[in-house]
Amino acid sequence: MLPWLLVASGACVGSPYDAEPSGPAPPAAPSPTPSGPQRPEFVRAAAGDAGVGPVVKAAQRDAAAQGRRLVVYASAPWCEPCQAFHRAVEAGELDRELAGIRFLEFDVDVDSLLLSDAGYGGRLIPRFVLPDAEGHGTDDKIEGGVKGERAAQEIMTRLGPLLARR
């Protein structure tokens, strides 16, 4: 095998939430205390063989260790309201409303059945679901959005109250 092929084949890594490690989890390293509110962020996830529940549970531990709150976010690359929400978050337009939120993002085109099995199913996207302590979906969720320039604001009219529930 050519040396460059060996290097290239080792370059692909998955999300840190692709699967829960076997055995007890190592203790979380203390994270620095933020000087101000943490900007909202997206973390891509894939259920894979582990299923969604263990992936969410691991992500919850990580988010809590960093002083963040986890929200499971089901989207798709072709979804216009999903794209508008992403743009608004990445542009900093929702920093105040979503401070400290980590969105664990699953692609419904890939993980739809596994999402449903773990309680994160639904009919529409974008879908935002608050997980329980075991990493399963709860009834605390919103789904769907409108297309157009008000898409992100319309999502926030429902997402804000959802986040305020817990």
Side-chain angles (χ1 to χ4, degrees):
M1 186 177 273
L2 299 173
W4 61 269
L5 188 54
L6 286 172
V7 172
S9 67
C12 296
V13 293
S15 161
Y17 307 115
D18 284 349
E20 187 167 9
S22 59
S31 60
T33 304
S35 59
Q38 296 174 316
R39 290 193 68 205
E41 65 182 7
F42 294 100
V43 175
R44 301 284 276 160
D49 294 336
V52 171
V55 172
V56 173
K57 191 172 179 180
Q60 279 182 296
R61 282 193 307 263
D62 185 48
Q66 295 176 16
R68 289 187 172 273
R69 183 171 179 198
L70 189 78
V71 175
V72 173
Y73 171 49
S75 69
W78 46 263
C79 169
E80 290 181 42
C82 301
Q83 293 168 2
F85 182 73
H86 262 269
R87 283 191 303 272
V89 169
E90 290 167 357
E93 296 171 13
L94 302 173
D95 283 359
R96 185 175 47 88
E97 297 93 332
L98 298 175
I101 300 294
R102 174 173 294 159
F103 294 100
L104 183 62
E105 184 176 7
F106 288 90
D107 184 332
V108 295
D109 291 335
V110 176
D111 293 317
S112 183
L113 292 175
L114 293 171
L115 284 165
S116 291
D117 289 347
Y120 296 99
R123 294 182 38 223
L124 304 171
I125 56 173
R127 185 177 319 127
F128 301 87
V129 186
L130 301 181
D132 68 15
E134 295 303 311
H136 298 103
T138 66
D139 289 337
D140 289 328
K141 68 180 173 182
I142 63 164
E143 56 184 311
V146 298
K147 296 179 182 180
E149 62 186 50
R150 295 211 21 90
Q153 292 84 2
E154 189 277 332
I155 289 170
M156 286 306 301
T157 63
R158 294 174 297 124
L159 184 56
L162 174 73
L163 295 174
R165 286 187 210 164
R166 286 201 229 168

